[in-house]
Amino acid sequence: MLICSVIIPAYNAEKYLEEAVRSALRQKVECEILIIDDGSTDSTADVAKRLESENANVRLLKNRGKKGVAGARNFGISKARGKYIAFLDADDWWAEGKLESQIRLLESTGEKFSCCARELVSEDGKSFLKVIGVKKRITYKMLLHTNSIACSSVVLDAEVARAHPMVRDDLHEDYIMWLEILKEIGRAHV
């Protein structure tokens, strides 16, 4: 079984998409990378097609029309074949070892949901020397106060993701998903 499906929604992301995909490819985990083109009007689809032709683990999927980031992520989840789902925004990238660490944690604990800290960087990749951390465990009650979970930091069980699709695209679609999941499973592991 495929270990992880990386879901990358992309709308007019030609400038950043390649670095996001390459950061996912550098992870030492057997995964597929699903780029969901959400009706881009720039050359996002061309970049994605080239990356797909260079690596069999990359697949380009296209929404019919613009569905928004929640719709793109849900479409990706519906096509995912991995045991786990990892979200990666097209303008973000992962440090080496990020995915391995989180999957190892999920496998060793039996938890269904993991997130991690994030570092803020400029468009050209220079660190602002600012890391936004997260608590070791995040509960539903804690999350009611504020969303401390960055979407591109999340790795979760694929069945949990399918059971809790993102329902809104106009406001905090990921936050609503995290709340629903944590209400059901109790906590996120960091």
Side-chain angles (χ1 to χ4, degrees), residues 6-122:
V6 179
I7 309 295
I8 304 177
Y11 176 74
N12 290 346
E14 66 183 5
K15 185 175 177 183
Y16 307 105
L17 181 60
E18 184 165 353
E19 183 57 37
V21 170
R22 296 217 182 278
S23 78
L25 288 170
R26 284 191 291 270
Q27 305 300 310
K28 293 179 177 69
V29 171
E30 183 186 346
C31 63
E32 65 178 350
I33 299 162
L34 305 178
I35 303 167
I36 298 84
D37 181 10
D38 193 34
S40 296
T41 57
D42 67 358
S43 63
T44 294
D46 295 331
V47 172
K49 284 178 193 171
R50 180 175 47 77
L51 292 166
E52 182 180 44
S53 72
E54 292 172 1
N55 193 302
N57 295 329
V58 177
R59 288 187 359 204
L60 169 62
L61 305 171
K62 288 185 156 201
N63 273 338
R64 292 185 181 155
K66 187 166 177 358
K67 305 282 187 201
V69 70
R73 288 186 186 125
N74 289 339
F75 181 53
I77 291 167
S78 77
K79 299 297 183 184
R81 299 178 301 212
K83 178 179 179 183
Y84 297 105
I85 300 290
F87 294 114
L88 178 58
D89 287 346
D91 62 348
D92 290 341
W93 63 86
W94 291 334
E96 288 188 42
K98 179 256 192 230
L99 197 55
E100 301 98 301
S101 294
Q102 285 182 271
I103 290 175
R104 193 175 322 113
L105 176 74
L106 291 171
E107 292 284 320
S108 68
T109 63
E111 297 285 348
K112 304 286 186 189
F113 187 104
S114 175
C115 62
C116 62
R118 64 192 184 273
E119 180 180 10
L120 300 180
V121 297
S122 66

